[in-house]
Amino acid sequence: MPQISSLILLLLAGSLSFIGCERHPYSQGEIIYKYNCANCHMDDGSGLAKLIPSLDKSRLTLSEPAKLVCLIRNGLPVNKLTGQEMPPNTILNEVELTNLINYLGSKYALKPQTVQAPEVKKMLAGCQTH
Ligand code: HEC
């Protein structure tokens, strides 16, 4: 029955192109990265010479969501060698942080762990503020 098999092919092609629209599962996190982090760490995470570290070198931090949450929230003080600091980000809410962390994890972590917003909320509460 040639008609039926071509109908199936048509349906299959249709559903494939539907999947193709979604570039990858963390596209929301990628946008958040571009707006909040890429001006220093660059679009591809390669950093800026000796001044801004490349994210490739921070795979450990990027594999530990609890550390990463606090790093983003609190930033890092001025590094005496480079004179650069990472400013605290107090704009991102727990849902945005969740998307960002899952995106970074999927891209850089050795063993990506996905987090959910309620967990991130708890992690935030556990960060020491200074
Ligand atoms: C204004 C520039 C700037 C922005 C914006 C910025 N960073 Fe950073 N980031 C830095 C600098 C500078 C360092 C290194 C500080 C140091 O040497 O102590 C750093 C360090 C890091 C590290 C390495 C920490 C470690 O201990 O390995 C990670 C991971 C990181 N940033 C992620 C992010 C993420 C995610 C964002 C967006 C939410 C972001 N940064 C936004 C400047 C920035």
Side-chain angles (χ1 to χ4, degrees):
M1 281 183 275
Q3 293 98 325
I4 291 186
S5 60
S6 59
L7 184 68
I8 291 173
L9 268 181
L10 207 70
L11 285 173
L12 201 67
S15 56
L16 278 180
S17 65
F18 180 70
I19 295 168
C21 284
E22 181 99 354
R23 278 175 305 142
H24 59 77
Y26 302 116
S27 51
Q28 201 63 33
E30 184 173 11
I31 294 167
I32 294 167
Y33 175 81
K34 292 223 160 100
Y35 279 99
N36 293 274
C37 320
N39 48 342
C40 292
H41 293 281
M42 304 293 136
D43 269 357
D44 62 354
S46 59
L48 189 64
K50 293 202 166 113
L51 296 178
I52 313 270
S54 87
L55 296 183
D56 254 353
K57 298 214 176 98
S58 309
R59 285 180 188 272
L60 213 61
T61 312
L62 295 171
S63 307
E64 294 178 70
K67 277 194 184 167
L68 190 53
V69 166
C70 299
L71 167 73
I72 296 170
R73 190 53 109 216
N74 293 332
L76 288 168
V78 176
N79 177 317
K80 290 204 178 77
L81 290 174
T82 62
Q84 303 297 311
E85 68 181 312
M86 176 161 151
N89 186 314
T90 51
I91 304 167
L92 295 174
N93 66 30
E94 68 230 36
V95 174
E96 292 162 329
L97 283 170
T98 303
N99 284 327
L100 175 60
I101 286 165
N102 286 337
Y103 163 68
L104 290 172
S106 75
K107 203 158 174 205
Y108 299 102
L110 301 174
K111 273 195 197 162
Q113 303 177 35
T114 38
V115 288
Q116 313 254 312
E119 294 169 70
V120 169
K121 195 176 181 181
K122 281 193 199 136
M123 291 171 188
L124 275 174
C127 297
Q128 286 176 334
T129 46
H130 37 227

